[in-house]
Amino acid sequence: MSDSIKYVLDESRIPRQWYNLAADLPEPLPPVLHPGTLQPIGPADLAPLFPMALILQEVTTEREVEIPGPVRDVYRQWRPTPLYRARRLERALQTPARIYYKYEGVSPAGSHKPNTAVAQAFYNKEAGVRRLATETGAGQWGSSLAFAGALFGLDVTVFMVKVSYDQKPYRRALMETYGARCIPSPSTETESGRRILAASPDSNGSLGIAISEAVEVAASRDDTKYSLGSVLNHVLLHQTVIGQEAIAQLEMAGDYPDIVVGCTGGGSNFAGIAFPFLGAQLRGGRAARFVAVEPAACPSLTRGRYAYDFGDTGHLTPLVKMHTLGSTFIPPGFHAGGLRYHGMAPLVSHAHQLGLIEARAYPQTACFEAGVFFARHEGIVPAPEANHAVKGAIDEAVRCREEGASRAILFNLCGHGHFDMQAYMDFTAGRITDQAYDEGELAMALAGLPQV
Amino acid sequence: MSDSIKYVLDESRIPRQWYNLAADLPEPLPPVLHPGTLQPIGPADLAPLFPMALILQEVTTEREVEIPGPVRDVYRQWRPTPLYRARRLERALQTPARIYYKYEGVSPAGSHKPNTAVAQAFYNKEAGVRRLATETGAGQWGSSLAFAGALFGLDVTVFMVKVSYDQKPYRRALMETYGARCIPSPSTETESGRRILAASPDSNGSLGIAISEAVEVAASRDDTKYSLGSVLNHVLLHQTVIGQEAIAQLEMAGDYPDIVVGCTGGGSNFAGIAFPFLGAQLRGGRAARFVAVEPAACPSLTRGRYAYDFGDTGHLTPLVKMHTLGSTFIPPGFHAGGLRYHGMAPLVSHAHQLGLIEARAYPQTACFEAGVFFARHEGIVPAPEANHAVKGAIDEAVRCREEGASRAILFNLCGHGHFDMQAYMDFTAGRITDQAYDEGELAMALAGLPQV
């Protein structure tokens, strides 16, 4: 049989710069606003939360930001990650499409998240910070920051969305093995958490709530900063190593994608694979379609409003313009916990608003079906989040078959599912349903958006 | 900081041959005996269980066995695996030792087991077999054969040791996601299983029992063959890709190991890393120490007898000469389920008997401590089995510090612990103890060895 193909880059090909889409956008990103004054905030406003190096990355419009040597040194543990041509999957689908996937599951935490965790830990360490507070959904981000914290000698406190804390005890164990402290959110450790628990003692939690808790802890302690695993410009920036490597690997394959697919929760893994290609297109290079795939139960890009909103439920963050379901929207407790966020990265939202990217929403059972099909043909069991990208890519490949068109499809397999086998057990046993959000609650959350 | 270093080989450097230690041994391996006649068995005796290609590999004394193209094609998905110089660990230990580890956790199943699973699936497929029956302890082997079965279109039935089936539901889910059927052993599906259950309805199971069940199923069905994940010569043969790659990678590093460490259950991952170096030594090359590390609760090399014994509890297999605790010995249900086997690979046993390798036994808490220390410095959480090798390597590195000696230590990190986080949770919570086996039971099991 003609087998699937791996494209490997030499270690010297780990990118030396992160790529910043802001440099190539036809219109600048709307400013971040102070929630009191509604005026654009400056770097000083963010200083309680982030070290200045990351704040400057948040606002820069330089095209390239140099990756520090010590960050590249840690990247070398698992980067460059492989790019595969999924020949076995293509055959099973009887598609003329050429399907490629970039595999980020080879990192020690099993996902793409260490790409930014390592960078954030490095800059915080350089700035003399001793402790990082963060939130996590499925636990991919929390365990990645725990990993990075262990390497750079930083204490890490993780507020983990309660439904995931209960569903995914093994990711919590991973954080603890790396030496981090993991707390179910909402918790009694913060004002934000206590307020939620007073109103809903059985709250499942959400990323929005957990962010409030982590921000509150960081803002109230001098030695502690806040760290976010997605959404922000600097986080998306760090993930662009994925797409940059993919460009070089597709060159090895003598190919270029017609379609780039990624799953979107906060937007960072999608941006990581898509932005370097989108940037090339904006600078006059070859065009591609960029497809963001989100869960139907938390559809910020396809059903949210493009508006100024808070990043968290407790309204401790500045206002950012993004696709949002409203900061009070609590999505149902579906399995792709990493995609349970009410908002979307401002850069991804802006690109969508400008018509540069498409968005699509899938229910979770269809995504699990796609993931199992992928596992049986390509041998890798994807994380439930990544299954959304798999489903998106398979649908495009099926369309190629129907249209007799041989397109190149690239997707990001952002993590393996080895920590998510409970979800696969539930799927196999027929215990997974397509939970819908409450339309009334969505309407209320949207009605409650800040007046800007 | 001067960081840990990864040594990567180009895909073209995946070995083209497996290395067979039998060719270089100073004394030949004692023959395998028929349990009825006590005469050496021939290839035809094994034909009900294995395809002829694997039987010939079992008995060959050729030094090199060519790896078929389709097997190398699948290997390319994750091979060559990385070799790391553990600089961060060295610093943490303040040791002058140079610590290297080969990392097999990058395979789709997360361990070294696919190296042989893919080969076995290939040869069975070539021989027209439709179904494979096997056993599994911790589930690393079962999930690897399930993976290989999915790629080659073979049905896979796995008898999983009951204590692991209960402790590690996620590996079972992985097998099922790949499409395999997973049955807790002892089961009511076989004569061997029913006999055990009649005597001990609450039996925890053991690898010896599960082997009996799988062998029975294979022997009783024309379309079904048996597949073993360790112990046999051809399984150890397939794992030698590990050591062959390590030799090339250490050449890149300009180094050669003074000490090679691996954990031993059935012996295949230890053999995989050690035999290519041992063979070089036997052919007049540089000498090294080879240290097999086993669990103190199942210490076949350090406390077993070198004698002819059955490979299984139900006495369906031929008699092989090996270090054994007696085929009726049931080890306590400790967490490194992959090391819970009463016997040891004949090749490893023979090498030990000839004084070519050393053996050492560690209790599990010391191994978990070593694993957590490793995770916090090198970033990878090892499987509980692999923690034994980590502990062995760390002890050698500490000895180097004490003696002021700068030796090169190479160990095999045979799998990641992402499926074993329950064990880490138990360890963190102080719920893991060093379960001892019953000395009286061991004496009885040894007294019951066949009279040969």
PDB file of all heavy atoms in Angstrom, chain A residues 187-202:
ATOM      1  N   SER A 187     -14.475  28.734  42.575  1.00  0.00           N
ATOM      2  CA  SER A 187     -13.908  28.335  43.867  1.00  0.00           C
ATOM      3  C   SER A 187     -14.261  29.364  44.925  1.00  0.00           C
ATOM      4  O   SER A 187     -14.738  30.460  44.618  1.00  0.00           O
ATOM      5  CB  SER A 187     -12.387  28.231  43.749  1.00  0.00           C
ATOM      6  OG  SER A 187     -11.807  29.528  43.835  1.00  0.00           O
ATOM      7  N   THR A 188     -13.965  29.021  46.159  1.00  0.00           N
ATOM      8  CA  THR A 188     -14.184  29.982  47.238  1.00  0.00           C
ATOM      9  C   THR A 188     -12.942  30.826  47.484  1.00  0.00           C
ATOM     10  O   THR A 188     -12.903  31.630  48.404  1.00  0.00           O
ATOM     11  CB  THR A 188     -14.528  29.241  48.545  1.00  0.00           C
ATOM     12  OG1 THR A 188     -13.467  28.329  48.838  1.00  0.00           O
ATOM     13  CG2 THR A 188     -15.834  28.466  48.409  1.00  0.00           C
ATOM     14  N   GLU A 189     -11.925  30.682  46.629  1.00  0.00           N
ATOM     15  CA  GLU A 189     -10.660  31.393  46.866  1.00  0.00           C
ATOM     16  C   GLU A 189     -10.660  32.825  46.352  1.00  0.00           C
ATOM     17  O   GLU A 189      -9.736  33.583  46.631  1.00  0.00           O
ATOM     18  CB  GLU A 189      -9.489  30.622  46.211  1.00  0.00           C
ATOM     19  CG  GLU A 189      -9.393  29.211  46.727  1.00  0.00           C
ATOM     20  CD  GLU A 189      -7.962  28.712  46.818  1.00  0.00           C
ATOM     21  OE1 GLU A 189      -7.034  29.447  46.429  1.00  0.00           O
ATOM     22  OE2 GLU A 189      -7.782  27.576  47.285  1.00  0.00           O
ATOM     23  N   THR A 190     -11.677  33.171  45.554  1.00  0.00           N
ATOM     24  CA  THR A 190     -11.715  34.529  45.009  1.00  0.00           C
ATOM     25  C   THR A 190     -13.108  35.120  45.191  1.00  0.00           C
ATOM     26  O   THR A 190     -14.101  34.400  45.336  1.00  0.00           O
ATOM     27  CB  THR A 190     -11.413  34.541  43.497  1.00  0.00           C
ATOM     28  OG1 THR A 190     -12.488  33.871  42.818  1.00  0.00           O
ATOM     29  CG2 THR A 190     -10.095  33.844  43.172  1.00  0.00           C
ATOM     30  N   GLU A 191     -13.132  36.434  45.137  1.00  0.00           N
ATOM     31  CA  GLU A 191     -14.396  37.170  45.185  1.00  0.00           C
ATOM     32  C   GLU A 191     -15.296  36.747  44.020  1.00  0.00           C
ATOM     33  O   GLU A 191     -16.494  36.486  44.186  1.00  0.00           O
ATOM     34  CB  GLU A 191     -14.065  38.674  45.097  1.00  0.00           C
ATOM     35  CG  GLU A 191     -15.180  39.593  45.487  1.00  0.00           C
ATOM     36  CD  GLU A 191     -15.737  39.252  46.866  1.00  0.00           C
ATOM     37  OE1 GLU A 191     -14.949  39.155  47.841  1.00  0.00           O
ATOM     38  OE2 GLU A 191     -16.957  39.037  46.951  1.00  0.00           O
ATOM     39  N   SER A 192     -14.689  36.666  42.818  1.00  0.00           N
ATOM     40  CA  SER A 192     -15.457  36.294  41.614  1.00  0.00           C
ATOM     41  C   SER A 192     -16.071  34.916  41.782  1.00  0.00           C
ATOM     42  O   SER A 192     -17.238  34.690  41.436  1.00  0.00           O
ATOM     43  CB  SER A 192     -14.554  36.268  40.380  1.00  0.00           C
ATOM     44  OG  SER A 192     -13.716  37.383  40.351  1.00  0.00           O
ATOM     45  N   GLY A 193     -15.297  33.992  42.290  1.00  0.00           N
ATOM     46  CA  GLY A 193     -15.787  32.626  42.456  1.00  0.00           C
ATOM     47  C   GLY A 193     -16.897  32.566  43.493  1.00  0.00           C
ATOM     48  O   GLY A 193     -17.932  31.925  43.284  1.00  0.00           O
ATOM     49  N   ARG A 194     -16.673  33.243  44.609  1.00  0.00           N
ATOM     50  CA  ARG A 194     -17.680  33.221  45.676  1.00  0.00           C
ATOM     51  C   ARG A 194     -18.999  33.824  45.194  1.00  0.00           C
ATOM     52  O   ARG A 194     -20.076  33.346  45.549  1.00  0.00           O
ATOM     53  CB  ARG A 194     -17.168  33.985  46.907  1.00  0.00           C
ATOM     54  CG  ARG A 194     -16.059  33.221  47.656  1.00  0.00           C
ATOM     55  CD  ARG A 194     -15.714  33.867  48.996  1.00  0.00           C
ATOM     56  NE  ARG A 194     -15.042  35.159  48.845  1.00  0.00           N
ATOM     57  CZ  ARG A 194     -13.707  35.314  48.757  1.00  0.00           C
ATOM     58  NH1 ARG A 194     -12.912  34.257  48.779  1.00  0.00           N
ATOM     59  NH2 ARG A 194     -13.182  36.520  48.638  1.00  0.00           N
ATOM     60  N   ARG A 195     -18.918  34.861  44.370  1.00  0.00           N
ATOM     61  CA  ARG A 195     -20.142  35.491  43.866  1.00  0.00           C
ATOM     62  C   ARG A 195     -20.940  34.493  43.006  1.00  0.00           C
ATOM     63  O   ARG A 195     -22.156  34.384  43.119  1.00  0.00           O
ATOM     64  CB  ARG A 195     -19.789  36.749  43.065  1.00  0.00           C
ATOM     65  CG  ARG A 195     -20.943  37.752  43.004  1.00  0.00           C
ATOM     66  CD  ARG A 195     -20.538  39.031  42.261  1.00  0.00           C
ATOM     67  NE  ARG A 195     -19.246  39.541  42.716  1.00  0.00           N
ATOM     68  CZ  ARG A 195     -18.264  39.974  41.917  1.00  0.00           C
ATOM     69  NH1 ARG A 195     -18.419  39.946  40.602  1.00  0.00           N
ATOM     70  NH2 ARG A 195     -17.128  40.422  42.409  1.00  0.00           N
ATOM     71  N   ILE A 196     -20.237  33.781  42.124  1.00  0.00           N
ATOM     72  CA  ILE A 196     -20.919  32.793  41.278  1.00  0.00           C
ATOM     73  C   ILE A 196     -21.532  31.690  42.141  1.00  0.00           C
ATOM     74  O   ILE A 196     -22.689  31.296  41.958  1.00  0.00           O
ATOM     75  CB  ILE A 196     -19.922  32.162  40.283  1.00  0.00           C
ATOM     76  CG1 ILE A 196     -19.361  33.199  39.315  1.00  0.00           C
ATOM     77  CG2 ILE A 196     -20.578  30.997  39.525  1.00  0.00           C
ATOM     78  CD1 ILE A 196     -20.298  33.649  38.238  1.00  0.00           C
ATOM     79  N   LEU A 197     -20.773  31.206  43.107  1.00  0.00           N
ATOM     80  CA  LEU A 197     -21.259  30.095  43.941  1.00  0.00           C
ATOM     81  C   LEU A 197     -22.469  30.516  44.775  1.00  0.00           C
ATOM     82  O   LEU A 197     -23.366  29.701  45.031  1.00  0.00           O
ATOM     83  CB  LEU A 197     -20.136  29.585  44.853  1.00  0.00           C
ATOM     84  CG  LEU A 197     -19.044  28.763  44.144  1.00  0.00           C
ATOM     85  CD1 LEU A 197     -17.897  28.448  45.108  1.00  0.00           C
ATOM     86  CD2 LEU A 197     -19.628  27.471  43.561  1.00  0.00           C
ATOM     87  N   ALA A 198     -22.488  31.780  45.176  1.00  0.00           N
ATOM     88  CA  ALA A 198     -23.636  32.260  45.944  1.00  0.00           C
ATOM     89  C   ALA A 198     -24.897  32.198  45.083  1.00  0.00           C
ATOM     90  O   ALA A 198     -25.968  31.808  45.544  1.00  0.00           O
ATOM     91  CB  ALA A 198     -23.390  33.688  46.422  1.00  0.00           C
ATOM     92  N   ALA A 199     -24.750  32.563  43.813  1.00  0.00           N
ATOM     93  CA  ALA A 199     -25.914  32.560  42.907  1.00  0.00           C
ATOM     94  C   ALA A 199     -26.223  31.143  42.415  1.00  0.00           C
ATOM     95  O   ALA A 199     -27.394  30.762  42.314  1.00  0.00           O
ATOM     96  CB  ALA A 199     -25.638  33.482  41.720  1.00  0.00           C
ATOM     97  N   SER A 200     -25.194  30.350  42.079  1.00  0.00           N
ATOM     98  CA  SER A 200     -25.398  28.996  41.545  1.00  0.00           C
ATOM     99  C   SER A 200     -24.428  28.043  42.231  1.00  0.00           C
ATOM    100  O   SER A 200     -23.337  27.788  41.721  1.00  0.00           O
ATOM    101  CB  SER A 200     -25.142  28.956  40.031  1.00  0.00           C
ATOM    102  OG  SER A 200     -25.563  30.135  39.408  1.00  0.00           O
ATOM    103  N   PRO A 201     -24.826  27.497  43.356  1.00  0.00           N
ATOM    104  CA  PRO A 201     -23.904  26.620  44.104  1.00  0.00           C
ATOM    105  C   PRO A 201     -23.456  25.400  43.288  1.00  0.00           C
ATOM    106  O   PRO A 201     -22.386  24.852  43.539  1.00  0.00           O
ATOM    107  CB  PRO A 201     -24.739  26.177  45.309  1.00  0.00           C
ATOM    108  CG  PRO A 201     -25.852  27.166  45.428  1.00  0.00           C
ATOM    109  CD  PRO A 201     -26.111  27.667  44.045  1.00  0.00           C
ATOM    110  N   ASP A 202     -24.262  24.974  42.312  1.00  0.00           N
ATOM    111  CA  ASP A 202     -23.896  23.798  41.516  1.00  0.00           C
ATOM    112  C   ASP A 202     -23.272  24.178  40.181  1.00  0.00           C
ATOM    113  O   ASP A 202     -23.215  23.358  39.256  1.00  0.00           O
ATOM    114  CB  ASP A 202     -25.137  22.929  41.252  1.00  0.00           C
ATOM    115  CG  ASP A 202     -25.713  22.395  42.556  1.00  0.00           C
ATOM    116  OD1 ASP A 202     -24.911  22.162  43.481  1.00  0.00           O
ATOM    117  OD2 ASP A 202     -26.938  22.220  42.636  1.00  0.00           O
TER     118      ASP A 202
END
